[in-house]
Amino acid sequence: MAGDGSDQRALQYEQTLMYGRYTQELGVYAKEEAARLRESGQRRSASDRSRTLDLLEYEKGRCAKCRICTVRCQKFLISRVGEDWIFLILLGLLMALVSWVMDFCIAICLQAQKWMYGGLDSNMFLQYLAWVTYPVVLITFSAGFTQILAPQAVGSGIPEMKTILRGVVLKEYLTFKTFVAKVIGLTCALGSGMPLGKEGPFVHIASLCAALLSKFMSLFGGIYENESRNIEMLAAACAVGVGCCFAAPIGGVLFSIEVTSTFFAVRNYWRGFFAATFSAFIFRVLAVWNRDEETITALFKTRFRLDFPFDLQELPAFAVIGIASGFGGALFVYLNRLIVQFMRKQKAINRFLMKKRLLYPALVTLLISTLTFPPGFGQFMAGKLTQKESLVTLLDNRTWAKQGIAEEFDYIGHSQAWKHPQVNVFVTLVLFIVMKFWMSALATTIPVPCGAFMPVFVIGAAFGRLVGESMAAWFPDGINTDGTIYPIVPGGYAVVGAAALSGAVTHTVSTAVIVFELTGQISHILPVMIAVILANAVAQSLQPSLYDSIIRIKKLPYLPELGWGHHEKYNIRVEDIMVRDVRYITLNCCYRDLHNVLMTGHLKTLALVESAESMILLGSIERAQLQSLLSQQLGRPRRMEYIRERAAAEQKRLSVVSNQGSDDGSRRASQEVRFQISTEESSFSPTRAVPQKPLKPALKRSSVMERSTELPTSPHDNSGIALKHLFCASPDTEGLEDDGDVEDDMTIREIAEWEEKQLDEQVNFNNCKIDPAPFQLVERTSLHKTHTIFSLLGLDHAYVTSIGRLIGVVSLKELRKAIEGSVTVKGVKVRPPLASFRDSGTSSSENEATELHKLWDRHKSMTLPREHTPSESDEKSQ
Amino acid sequence: MAGDGSDQRALQYEQTLMYGRYTQELGVYAKEEAARLRESGQRRSASDRSRTLDLLEYEKGRCAKCRICTVRCQKFLISRVGEDWIFLILLGLLMALVSWVMDFCIAICLQAQKWMYGGLDSNMFLQYLAWVTYPVVLITFSAGFTQILAPQAVGSGIPEMKTILRGVVLKEYLTFKTFVAKVIGLTCALGSGMPLGKEGPFVHIASLCAALLSKFMSLFGGIYENESRNIEMLAAACAVGVGCCFAAPIGGVLFSIEVTSTFFAVRNYWRGFFAATFSAFIFRVLAVWNRDEETITALFKTRFRLDFPFDLQELPAFAVIGIASGFGGALFVYLNRLIVQFMRKQKAINRFLMKKRLLYPALVTLLISTLTFPPGFGQFMAGKLTQKESLVTLLDNRTWAKQGIAEEFDYIGHSQAWKHPQVNVFVTLVLFIVMKFWMSALATTIPVPCGAFMPVFVIGAAFGRLVGESMAAWFPDGINTDGTIYPIVPGGYAVVGAAALSGAVTHTVSTAVIVFELTGQISHILPVMIAVILANAVAQSLQPSLYDSIIRIKKLPYLPELGWGHHEKYNIRVEDIMVRDVRYITLNCCYRDLHNVLMTGHLKTLALVESAESMILLGSIERAQLQSLLSQQLGRPRRMEYIRERAAAEQKRLSVVSNQGSDDGSRRASQEVRFQISTEESSFSPTRAVPQKPLKPALKRSSVMERSTELPTSPHDNSGIALKHLFCASPDTEGLEDDGDVEDDMTIREIAEWEEKQLDEQVNFNNCKIDPAPFQLVERTSLHKTHTIFSLLGLDHAYVTSIGRLIGVVSLKELRKAIEGSVTVKGVKVRPPLASFRDSGTSSSENEATELHKLWDRHKSMTLPREHTPSESDEKSQ
């Protein structure tokens, strides 16, 4: 897996170009490696401690007191370093600096483009070249740099963080390389002026920071090696990411919770708030110190009037914005997915793009920058404004189109861009919205680090402004209630629109809070809340959120949310969705059974039951553990030992006739095989007759797993015949050297014979790591509860037991199927593929009674003094 | 439990006066009753459906089409009624109306007091009488009314809601009676002008509304009977409560999450936002319609300047406010608890107050209102202002004390109350803070429905104002940075102080959001966030939150939070805290064992294992189930049957000699008892020698349970000798009537003999409800993870297993002990009572290996053809 780097990188490129697929297998390796690292780290810290003590002893001679004092101080500092708040402050500080420096660089990049564009105003063609070449170069560099350094840095990062926080380990996703790639790639991408956002990547960057900081801090204290603590810190880091991107601590925390978590521990709440506040504070203080601002204020400060922010009669217009934004948000997600899928399906395009990796980004950038060229089409859509500038103008508290005539308005500064001598400001706005809409959807598919929040936010603001201007044109003196005239504030509509559209795309309510923090005004709270909730209601019923959509496209291991108020969820039970034909191993199976099980299935974990008749669940064993067991039994070192032993016996026989040679081996073999392992044609079948289906692996990635499993590696021909099918990385390479004293003179037939004998031995689970309490469900557990438990505990699979007996297994896949199946089926209690499984008549207690009876029968029979043959157990269980 | 009402009510009074104790036992009864109600409800709805069909059939003759149409419409409507958003809208509407009407009534009450006080200004004594009598009467009425109607309505309600949302059922806590008592009691209490708040009770009222609405809606659709859905709705209701109390939807949702939940499902987020927004909207719209307001604005609108809200150099002052508020908040919680405990401990006072129930409220009210009498001491502490008025004046954006001279300021309206001819405004503020502080802490111990949030909020605002005025006096021209003069805004300090102190008392960060929504300005976001976080940091390290403090005082079943960054939590494992001597029953035990187990322990659930040697956990059985099993076996009906049988046999013997009579009984008895049930002196002991401790009940309420268990009830002398000790409510009262045909002519000796025989029979678990998958942990599970799982899943206890074998049990109690024990012990890894349990040398895999070995040995021995005697199993397990 580590050998052929270039090959793999090519594969990864293929995977990450336009939302590449993610290989689950990598995660397992990473997890194991992490565990190994943790262990060695603990050992290291222990040795560190003893070393300091030694040092103390050694230095006692000269100025001992001074030394002791230093060591104590050091100890104190180290113990402090372990505290959460130190970590959070460091994280906040770091992220604020990163955010500020990046903003600074982006601003310089954008200024450079403007300067080039402005300097060449003598020649239109040169101007166009400058306008177009600059972003193309930047984006292409960004794409290439990211691809070469760390393809994981591509895209938003929120979907991946959601997956990581669910407990899945994504390989190389939190490394220093990725950090560098993401920061530089993002700076270039945003500096190009494309409609891309920085908040998604910032969540990822903050998580990277946290992970790296954690690694760095673990040099000082041991607490940083705790996994659950690191997950907590990652959750806080996500909040910091959003918080210091928008200088919105509260909205950042809430947004990151909504976007990345399914269940949130209130206990961790303060971490997010603490770090995000500190980060936002530093971020804004840097601006003050840099003389950009006089004091700490909001990023996009508005100045709407406080005393009468809006009229009650304006509320329907706000509601319309909300509903329209809901549809718009769903359309955006759909469009984004459509583009990705189109590029993937068109094989000709796909093949071509695969060869010329940087062509796609360049082409997209060329198209978008051509269309926004200010003297060209850009003049009708405020093309010369950057994202930040357009947002500032859109949130302006003046009315642009009083009484429908754009000319009357006195445009100042950037607002002039919206003014066109021939065209109405309404047309400009509509064109801006339409063009930016598809441009943003297209631009976010470019394989550079980028988010979609900010572009959507701007489009939403423009849409709100459009509605607001229309309202202002319709009611020039405001909607009179009493005598006083309160003119309509289109800027308020822009705020509402921005919150609603970004809320619809991300399926979050907290965009409302972000909007308040961004603008520094909360006076429009009710319109914003109403619009955001309506937008969410519409968008959630039409499409998944943008992040969930990307998760699906990337095929990350995920669990869909239960929809809004689908009551039928409460009626589906685990027994309807569980797989009844569980692959299991018994406590006293032989290696042959192990081999068979490993050959036929591709499950990551296997259930360990007491015996095939009792089916009492004892625990679960990971596939890797079983593989190593098997490899130990059949591996080369053991065969070498056998050969040595044989040679020794031969020698002994030659000198003295003795019969003590293979005592140890025969004793082990003398234990009879009493119980049979289950195979595809297992004798065990539950109480009801159910079509026997083979248990598929928990996650869809089986094809990848198979491929990597069957891969032929180093030509190690005589390392074992039965084993060869199971392993790609030969686990006994190290064993090869130490027994060079005996020659491997066995023929293939001899090896096969020897292996047959080995396979008949009983498995010794002593050195095997068993999970002694895998999660268990009951048949009657509802789908709703199962979903809750799976997302709460981040489960991958759960066994279904009935009074201790294993009767089925539910994995993420089944759960996903059940949820998605019943989401599409409308109407209560219609669940065609599931309902057939359940016999509706049985009540819970009756069911349990039968099970108990069976157990009881089994128990009696087990104490009887006779051997169980497989055929007998068949009769019993049927 | 339902019989002697007056007695119980007296008990309850004793329990609820000044944070009475709560009896856990009630919850169990309520749960069972609820389950019964649910079942009958389902049956009812089914019959309803068939009835409409009948109706359809019957009416077919005349205008069938019309009827069908009506039925369809009805069906459609009913199906709609089941949707969440309908429920949430109704809930929001209801709560907004309740809130508005209550506010209206409270305002009238307060006006009436003012009017009385103002009308009697000729005579100081009469004025004093009026000022004092009015609140005393109102509070006394409120206390009396609540006591008589529903003592559960006393107090805030947030602690109880926290407990309910954790999964505990509190009896009579969500009934209509409580609703009426709470609404009327709260209106009177707040109308009296005492320093009491309405947000805590509003959380309770909203939950009551939700529960009642749910009950009402279940008449239409079946979905309202789902328990997990109701819990979700209760969580949303809590958000509505806070939201419509302050017209703060976002802050309400966040505050309710922080205060009531430990883990929050993001899935339920929208429910809270939706309902709270709708509720806040209606609440404010009502104000507009009532012509109180011109349009929808914030409740306590501020008008601070937007362009330069504060200077960077002011931040240290804000931090000081935060830290001081942290200490203040902890002091408030401590003071509140001290008062309650003082009143409880002083037996003479306690006994006296118990007799004269309404004396305590009256005395407290008299004291407080005397001190606030405006012409008296009240003149130095703005005594004539109501809570709302003082808050409005405190948040004023003008400076009161320019250059330290109070007279210069031009007081308008209510602000005049702060002005005193002789005394500085600083003195007034200090007196206000000090007096209100202890008054609020005292007033919240009065047994009326009341919260502490609002008083604390006002005190915080006053403290902030004090600091702000001092700053303004110190820097009369503001802290100059450049040339421009920006004077200091003391109102901003008041906002910061209010958020910080209320955050410190409740241990929440979301008070910041509430403050923004209350004032309608978000410009001070960074100072507020900094102060709130600092206040939380200080307060959380000193005292529990006010709600947790009340939970402890009321002895509600709770699980303390893990503190800030106590790393030692990560090092404690389940094996350190679990109880190793688990009380269990085996699958083939006899009734005598059951009896013994029930007699010796008081656990609510008992583990069911396969056999005493294997210890394989099969499930858990509730105590009640076992009791009913035992009562069935020993109960009167069965004895009657036996008598009948005996009589029949006698008769038969008299007529024909036969030997078929007791066939059934003897077959059952022929099954030998092979395994012994464990008792206190159980033979089973784990691998390590551990002092055997009896397993205590999961919750501290054992004393209450014991009392109720041993209570002698109706004189039912011959209902069973062995049974008599176990039941208070005799479960076989109904059985008494139906077998009047046979006379109970057995003597006590005969009964004892018969019972002895019955007890030796083997238990038949067929009709027993077994929980087939109780939650399991592993020895190596960390305390941190255990805490997470317990709070996530709302567990009461969990079994500790090792490869299927039961080796221990952890209940809430052990967990609580472990957490509290190590919270008090400072320093890493110092855990005196726990560390001794663990033998540090064993690694995980080694441990598992031994366990497996043992299992294996057991397995071998079980298939051997011999009987297990108890003594043998002793040897094996040791």
mmCIF file of all heavy atoms in Angstrom, chain B residues 383-396:
data_model
loop_
_atom_site.group_PDB
_atom_site.id
_atom_site.type_symbol
_atom_site.label_atom_id
_atom_site.label_comp_id
_atom_site.label_asym_id
_atom_site.label_seq_id
_atom_site.Cartn_x
_atom_site.Cartn_y
_atom_site.Cartn_z
ATOM 1 N N GLY B 383 -36.164 52.095 44.945
ATOM 2 C CA GLY B 383 -37.145 51.096 45.366
ATOM 3 C C GLY B 383 -38.474 51.174 44.657
ATOM 4 O O GLY B 383 -39.195 50.188 44.584
ATOM 5 N N LYS B 384 -38.807 52.316 44.125
ATOM 6 C CA LYS B 384 -40.148 52.425 43.549
ATOM 7 C C LYS B 384 -40.216 51.906 42.114
ATOM 8 O O LYS B 384 -41.304 51.800 41.550
ATOM 9 C CB LYS B 384 -40.642 53.875 43.636
ATOM 10 C CG LYS B 384 -40.157 54.822 42.579
ATOM 11 C CD LYS B 384 -40.929 56.120 42.721
ATOM 12 C CE LYS B 384 -40.299 57.219 41.867
ATOM 13 N NZ LYS B 384 -40.676 58.547 42.283
ATOM 14 N N LEU B 385 -39.074 51.580 41.539
ATOM 15 C CA LEU B 385 -39.085 51.058 40.169
ATOM 16 C C LEU B 385 -39.408 49.575 40.166
ATOM 17 O O LEU B 385 -38.961 48.834 41.031
ATOM 18 C CB LEU B 385 -37.722 51.267 39.513
ATOM 19 C CG LEU B 385 -37.274 52.697 39.255
ATOM 20 C CD1 LEU B 385 -35.958 52.683 38.495
ATOM 21 C CD2 LEU B 385 -38.324 53.456 38.461
ATOM 22 N N THR B 386 -40.190 49.164 39.181
ATOM 23 C CA THR B 386 -40.380 47.730 38.999
ATOM 24 C C THR B 386 -39.130 47.182 38.304
ATOM 25 O O THR B 386 -38.265 47.927 37.859
ATOM 26 C CB THR B 386 -41.602 47.434 38.129
ATOM 27 O OG1 THR B 386 -41.354 47.974 36.829
ATOM 28 C CG2 THR B 386 -42.843 48.061 38.697
ATOM 29 N N GLN B 387 -39.080 45.862 38.227
ATOM 30 C CA GLN B 387 -37.923 45.228 37.600
ATOM 31 C C GLN B 387 -37.712 45.723 36.177
ATOM 32 O O GLN B 387 -36.604 46.036 35.762
ATOM 33 C CB GLN B 387 -38.143 43.720 37.576
ATOM 34 C CG GLN B 387 -37.021 42.963 38.213
ATOM 35 C CD GLN B 387 -37.381 41.524 38.398
ATOM 36 O OE1 GLN B 387 -38.003 40.909 37.544
ATOM 37 N NE2 GLN B 387 -36.998 40.983 39.507
ATOM 38 N N LYS B 388 -38.814 45.781 35.442
ATOM 39 C CA LYS B 388 -38.737 46.170 34.044
ATOM 40 C C LYS B 388 -38.250 47.609 33.914
ATOM 41 O O LYS B 388 -37.379 47.921 33.090
ATOM 42 C CB LYS B 388 -40.132 46.032 33.427
ATOM 43 C CG LYS B 388 -40.105 45.663 31.968
ATOM 44 C CD LYS B 388 -41.502 45.370 31.475
ATOM 45 C CE LYS B 388 -41.525 45.401 29.966
ATOM 46 N NZ LYS B 388 -42.821 45.057 29.415
ATOM 47 N N GLU B 389 -38.797 48.466 34.762
ATOM 48 C CA GLU B 389 -38.412 49.876 34.711
ATOM 49 C C GLU B 389 -36.945 50.056 35.053
ATOM 50 O O GLU B 389 -36.227 50.823 34.397
ATOM 51 C CB GLU B 389 -39.274 50.690 35.683
ATOM 52 C CG GLU B 389 -40.694 50.910 35.194
ATOM 53 C CD GLU B 389 -41.636 51.345 36.309
ATOM 54 O OE1 GLU B 389 -41.178 51.442 37.475
ATOM 55 O OE2 GLU B 389 -42.813 51.569 36.019
ATOM 56 N N SER B 390 -36.494 49.336 36.082
ATOM 57 C CA SER B 390 -35.089 49.511 36.440
ATOM 58 C C SER B 390 -34.192 49.051 35.305
ATOM 59 O O SER B 390 -33.169 49.684 35.015
ATOM 60 C CB SER B 390 -34.722 48.785 37.739
ATOM 61 O OG SER B 390 -35.651 47.843 38.101
ATOM 62 N N LEU B 391 -34.590 47.931 34.640
ATOM 63 C CA LEU B 391 -33.763 47.440 33.540
ATOM 64 C C LEU B 391 -33.702 48.473 32.415
ATOM 65 O O LEU B 391 -32.629 48.738 31.857
ATOM 66 C CB LEU B 391 -34.322 46.111 33.027
ATOM 67 C CG LEU B 391 -33.386 45.350 32.108
ATOM 68 C CD1 LEU B 391 -32.055 45.098 32.786
ATOM 69 C CD2 LEU B 391 -34.011 44.047 31.667
ATOM 70 N N VAL B 392 -34.861 49.066 32.090
ATOM 71 C CA VAL B 392 -34.894 50.065 31.024
ATOM 72 C C VAL B 392 -33.969 51.229 31.362
ATOM 73 O O VAL B 392 -33.181 51.688 30.525
ATOM 74 C CB VAL B 392 -36.342 50.560 30.797
ATOM 75 C CG1 VAL B 392 -36.355 51.790 29.915
ATOM 76 C CG2 VAL B 392 -37.194 49.463 30.185
ATOM 77 N N THR B 393 -34.035 51.702 32.617
ATOM 78 C CA THR B 393 -33.182 52.835 32.981
ATOM 79 C C THR B 393 -31.706 52.454 32.991
ATOM 80 O O THR B 393 -30.847 53.242 32.601
ATOM 81 C CB THR B 393 -33.562 53.381 34.367
ATOM 82 O OG1 THR B 393 -33.558 52.283 35.293
ATOM 83 C CG2 THR B 393 -34.929 54.014 34.379
ATOM 84 N N LEU B 394 -31.422 51.230 33.425
ATOM 85 C CA LEU B 394 -30.020 50.810 33.492
ATOM 86 C C LEU B 394 -29.382 50.699 32.112
ATOM 87 O O LEU B 394 -28.186 50.912 31.951
ATOM 88 C CB LEU B 394 -29.908 49.466 34.225
ATOM 89 C CG LEU B 394 -30.120 49.513 35.735
ATOM 90 C CD1 LEU B 394 -30.240 48.120 36.303
ATOM 91 C CD2 LEU B 394 -28.982 50.257 36.402
ATOM 92 N N LEU B 395 -30.215 50.323 31.118
ATOM 93 C CA LEU B 395 -29.678 50.149 29.774
ATOM 94 C C LEU B 395 -29.692 51.455 28.988
ATOM 95 O O LEU B 395 -29.396 51.475 27.799
ATOM 96 C CB LEU B 395 -30.475 49.075 29.016
ATOM 97 C CG LEU B 395 -30.434 47.667 29.597
ATOM 98 C CD1 LEU B 395 -31.250 46.723 28.738
ATOM 99 C CD2 LEU B 395 -29.013 47.166 29.725
ATOM 100 N N ASP B 396 -30.036 52.514 29.638
ATOM 101 C CA ASP B 396 -30.088 53.819 28.993
ATOM 102 C C ASP B 396 -28.720 54.165 28.395
ATOM 103 O O ASP B 396 -27.678 53.837 28.962
ATOM 104 C CB ASP B 396 -30.447 54.859 30.059
ATOM 105 C CG ASP B 396 -30.971 56.116 29.432
ATOM 106 O OD1 ASP B 396 -30.135 56.947 29.025
ATOM 107 O OD2 ASP B 396 -32.194 56.255 29.346
#
